[in-house]
Amino acid sequence: MSLHKLTLRELQDKFTKGEVTAREIVSAYTLRINQVEPKVKAYITRAHESAMAQAETLDQKLKAWRRTMPLMGMPLAIKDNICTEGVLTTCASRILGTFVPPYDATVIARLRGRSYLLLGKSNLDEFAMGSSTENSAFGPSRNPWNLGCIPGGSSGGSAAAVAADECVAALGSDTGGSIRQPAACCGVVGLKPTYGRVSRFGLVAFASSLDQIGPITKDVADAAILLNVIAGHDPLDSTSADLPVPDYTRALKKKDVKKLKIGVPKEYFAEGLDPEVERAVLDAIEELKKLGGEIKDVALPTTDAAIATYYLIATAEASSNLARYDGVKYGLRSKQTKDLLEMYIKTRQEGFGPEVKRRIMLGTYALSAGYYEAYYGKAQAVRTLIRHDFEAAFREVDLIVTPVMPTPAFKLGEKIQDPLQMYLSDIYTISVNLAGIPAISVPCGFSKAGLPIGLQILGRPFEEETALRGAHAYEQATNWRMKRPTIR
Amino acid sequence: MKISKEEVEHVAKLARLEITEAEKEVFSKQLSDILTFMDKLKTLNTEGVEPTATVLEQTNVFREDKSRASLPVEKALANAPESEAGHFRVPKILEER
């Protein structure tokens, strides 16, 4: 069997047993990437040479003493808004087109500690702002199931790379669905951890109160393995939670959801939900019932206000965070400007793409004198109502299940001219970020056109284990993961 | 909420963005559409509701006041478009008199 088809767990097993070397792994993936990358365009930067050098060092080290750890020798794709020391990190923006970070993000330092192999930096919407990767300054990635469709976003490159076997697993970031939605579009697994579960140090900030790094993988077990390595307290991120990290793979031992109460919010099955997606998700809920879950209706009445709330808070935070791109310390600087103010303005004009500008404008407006209370202040209060909805629901149930996206992946270009339509496609994923809870996207079927559909499972804060258990039980009871895309 | 071209210009100035005439038109329409959609929040009663700035329950996080290793100057300057004598170099700020 070709190495690139294996899951992280399977490849890890082969590597641990010494059946395959790190060099062989890098060679196999390089071959695979060379084959399909011209079509999929998952990567912004490839790191073949450094990966091969790391692999050689690792193989040498293991010759002397064969002792392996999870993630050792495993070839990953890292979303290009996560800092990798010495490797270009662009955020898919012209303004950071030449930025080589002088340090590693904490998640990368942890992976390096395990001697992982960095295959490359994967594509995204510029500064993670978008739902399709079409906002990348370097061009969109493609959906491996249908090259005319979006891979989702903003971690579309990571999801496409996993689905196309261009890496064994990937890291993404999720501010309003940017891990779960591309995972659903590409038929893979994506986990957004609880806010504070994974350090954000070295993740280029979009909306600091919402951003979270998480795994995108071929199956649920792989997500647990990767989360084990990246989760945990980090003194360098004051918002990372100082709580013990369980072994998430233990959550997978039970192959059922017996004694779990599973909530279904009617607000998530309303107007705008594609009938094929609805059918697939309802069938999945039926399957969870067969696996021993007690299905209950729950109410999340503030759902209708979530998009407006999210796009005020996220853009307000973004307008502050992106103020740092001024042409002084790193990245692009506009040439031949006569004074400092002109340099700032011209640099930002040349460096940012339309969606980033639109969001900076929106956020600046929401924070500006005279509008702060009416927009930003109001959104923060509604955010509290959304949190209360989830707190009340999770007093009744252990998990909540919903669709990930209202439709399967749409066509490239379909929504790019209408930003509001694009924002509306985030309806099922953004509340999770506003409430700070964990959620996982797992494949639950295909549309008639052959595009993957995702099931979203939400859990209580810091109860990733329960969400993983539910997703794993469902995944193991169904065969969706066996179907792989043919790239053409 | 209708956003006029003048308001677009004002916000662009606050955000240190330069907006072309064509962009002014587009942003005026798009931001109006988006903010009109957001006006639905006004129908929700939030009287007495505390705002959420973060979902974390912790307040301040302290560390010991000890000096630590930091990024060497040359590494910190490595990405700078222009640097000189250990500093970031920028265009003139003050006019000569």
Side-chain angles (χ1 to χ4, degrees):
Chain A
M1 191 184 190
S2 317
L3 287 179
H4 63 258
K5 291 184 181 167
L6 301 177
T7 66
L8 174 61
R9 195 168 43 89
E10 290 163 347
L11 186 62
Q12 188 78 73
D13 190 49
K14 272 189 176 299
F15 185 69
T16 303
K17 289 180 180 151
E19 292 170 13
V20 58
T21 65
R23 271 191 65 118
E24 285 165 351
I25 290 173
V26 174
S27 298
Y29 274 91
T30 301
L31 194 67
R32 175 66 181 174
I33 295 171
N34 287 342
Q35 274 172 358
V36 300
E37 180 62 8
K39 289 175 180 165
V40 180
K41 302 179 196 303
Y43 288 102
I44 291 177
T45 302
R46 289 179 57 183
H48 165 77
E49 281 171 27
S50 59
M52 195 47 110
Q54 286 162 7
E56 276 168 15
T57 311
L58 180 59
D59 285 337
Q60 282 303 324
K61 217 170 82 184
L62 290 176
K63 249 185 213 164
W65 185 31
R66 188 152 197 96
R67 182 170 169 272
T68 62
M69 298 179 283
L71 265 306
M72 186 179 273
M74 295 299 104
L76 304 192
I78 304 294
K79 189 177 182 180
D80 206 24
N81 61 349
I82 299 174
C83 287
T84 41
E85 186 176 350
V87 179
L88 203 61
T89 300
T90 68
C91 291
S93 181
R94 281 189 300 275
I95 214 158
L96 284 179
T98 58
F99 179 63
V100 179
Y103 58 82
D104 275 331
T106 296
V107 291
I108 299 301
R110 284 169 182 256
L111 288 167
R112 252 194 231 274
R114 298 294 182 92
S115 303
Y116 89 119
L117 303 170
L118 173 66
L119 286 180
K121 303 297 294 287
S122 45
N123 197 17
L124 65 153
D125 288 290
E126 184 175 1
F127 285 103
M129 296 178 186
S131 315
S132 68
T133 73
E134 290 167 294
N135 297 327
S136 168
F138 309 117
S141 300
R142 307 301 175 117
N143 192 314
W145 294 89
N146 180 333
L147 299 172
C149 290
I150 59 147
S154 66
S155 313
S158 291
V162 173
D165 296 327
E166 292 187 71
C167 62
V168 75
L171 287 185
S173 70
D174 191 316
T175 305
S178 282
I179 287 174
R180 293 159 285 154
Q181 185 260 23
C185 284
C186 292
V188 295
V189 170
L191 171 66
K192 186 207 89 79
T194 310
Y195 185 78
R197 179 76 293 183
V198 176
S199 168
R200 293 184 297 112
F201 180 78
L203 169 65
V204 178
F206 159 14
S208 309
S209 81
L210 304 165
D211 297 342
Q212 192 63 195
I213 296 171
I216 297 178
T217 53
K218 295 186 181 183
D219 66 17
V220 178
D222 286 2
I225 294 168
L226 197 42
L227 184 62
N228 271 352
V229 179
I230 62 171
H233 181 239
D234 174 16
L236 297 174
D237 172 7
S238 64
T239 63
S240 82
D242 196 358
L243 293 169
V245 179
D247 176 0
Y248 290 106
T249 61
R250 291 184 60 160
L252 313 176
K253 293 217 166 111
K254 285 185 189 153
K255 300 264 185 334
D256 60 49
V257 287
K258 278 178 194 150
K259 291 188 186 151
L260 288 184
K261 293 193 179 107
I262 298 172
V264 181
K266 62 176 182 306
E267 295 85 356
Y268 282 62
F269 294 85
E271 198 195 322
L273 178 58
D274 178 281
E276 286 187 291
V277 175
E278 182 175 26
R279 187 70 262 150
V281 173
L282 292 176
D283 287 348
I285 292 168
E286 203 49 44
E287 188 64 44
L288 286 165
K289 195 174 167 183
K290 280 190 214 152
L291 290 162
E294 184 189 332
I295 310 296
K296 291 182 72 164
D297 288 334
V298 289
L300 297 169
T302 323
T303 301
D304 191 37
I307 287 181
T309 305
Y310 173 84
Y311 276 98
L312 286 166
I313 290 174
T315 58
E317 293 186 17
S319 75
S320 305
N321 274 326
L322 272 62
R324 74 191 63 174
Y325 303 104
D326 56 8
V328 175
K329 302 177 292 298
Y330 31 64
L332 183 78
R333 173 183 292 189
S334 180
K335 303 267 185 305
Q336 284 152 12
T337 54
K338 62 178 188 308
D339 61 21
L340 192 63
L341 182 62
E342 196 185 59
M343 186 196 87
Y344 292 157
I345 292 172
K346 292 248 187 265
T347 296
R348 291 162 68 79
Q349 173 66 10
E350 290 167 24
F352 291 138
E355 180 62 22
V356 171
K357 281 183 196 164
R358 189 155 38 240
R359 293 202 193 190
I360 291 174
M361 294 282 288
L362 192 56
T364 303
Y365 181 83
L367 291 174
S368 65
Y371 300 102
Y372 182 95
E373 272 311 313
Y375 288 104
Y376 185 65
K378 185 75 181 180
Q380 284 193 310
V382 179
R383 185 174 183 186
T384 304
L385 298 180
I386 291 167
R387 290 174 66 198
H388 289 168
D389 278 3
F390 281 104
E391 283 162 14
F394 279 122
R395 278 194 286 274
E396 307 288 319
V397 295
D398 303 293
L399 294 172
I400 293 174
V401 290
T402 76
V404 179
M405 199 184 169
T407 62
F410 45 85
K411 291 210 165 55
L412 283 154
E414 193 178 316
K415 297 190 182 187
I416 198 70
Q417 295 308 327
D418 190 345
L420 185 56
Q421 283 307 310
M422 189 76 93
Y423 298 172
L424 293 175
S425 70
D426 298 341
I427 177 71
Y428 301 134
T429 48
I430 46 178
S431 298
V432 160
N433 300 74
L434 291 167
I437 59 176
I440 187 167
S441 169
V442 60
C444 73
F446 291 87
S447 69
K448 284 195 199 79
L451 288 164
I453 297 171
L455 172 74
Q456 183 176 225
I457 304 182
L458 290 55
R460 295 190 189 99
F462 299 102
E463 292 189 15
E464 281 81 2
E465 290 164 285
T466 319
L468 283 164
R469 176 183 158 192
H472 186 247
Y474 172 75
E475 174 194 75
Q476 295 301 308
T478 54
N479 285 321
W480 306 118
R481 70 190 181 288
M482 308 298 179
K483 200 168 162 185
R484 308 296 309 155
T486 312
I487 295 156
R488 56 177 167 233
Chain B
M1 177 59 92
K2 179 93 184 76
I3 305 295
S4 65
K5 268 172 67 177
E6 290 69 35
E7 281 175 294
V8 169
E9 280 169 23
H10 172 65
V11 174
K13 205 175 142 199
L14 291 177
R16 299 286 184 260
L17 290 171
E18 191 181 67
I19 304 282
T20 63
E21 274 304 311
E23 280 177 318
K24 273 178 213 166
E25 294 283 348
V26 175
F27 278 147
S28 166
K29 175 167 188 326
Q30 290 177 339
L31 294 179
S32 297
D33 287 352
I34 294 165
L35 285 161
T36 302
F37 172 78
M38 286 168 173
D39 281 338
K40 68 161 65 175
L41 291 187
K42 291 180 179 156
T43 61
L44 286 169
N45 181 6
T46 51
E47 214 182 302
V49 177
E50 284 290 317
T52 294
T54 171
V55 295
L56 297 170
E57 289 177 18
Q58 68 200 22
T59 47
N60 286 320
V61 178
F62 297 103
R63 66 169 171 84
E64 275 194 77
D65 189 19
K66 278 200 290 200
S67 66
R68 301 182 294 190
S70 56
L71 217 51
V73 173
E74 41 309 345
K75 266 188 139 182
L77 290 173
N79 279 290
E82 267 192 84
S83 66
E84 194 178 308
H87 295 82
F88 295 106
R89 193 187 155 96
V90 296
K92 217 180 293 179
I93 300 171
L94 297 170
E95 295 282 317
E96 279 174 46
R97 308 191 65 170

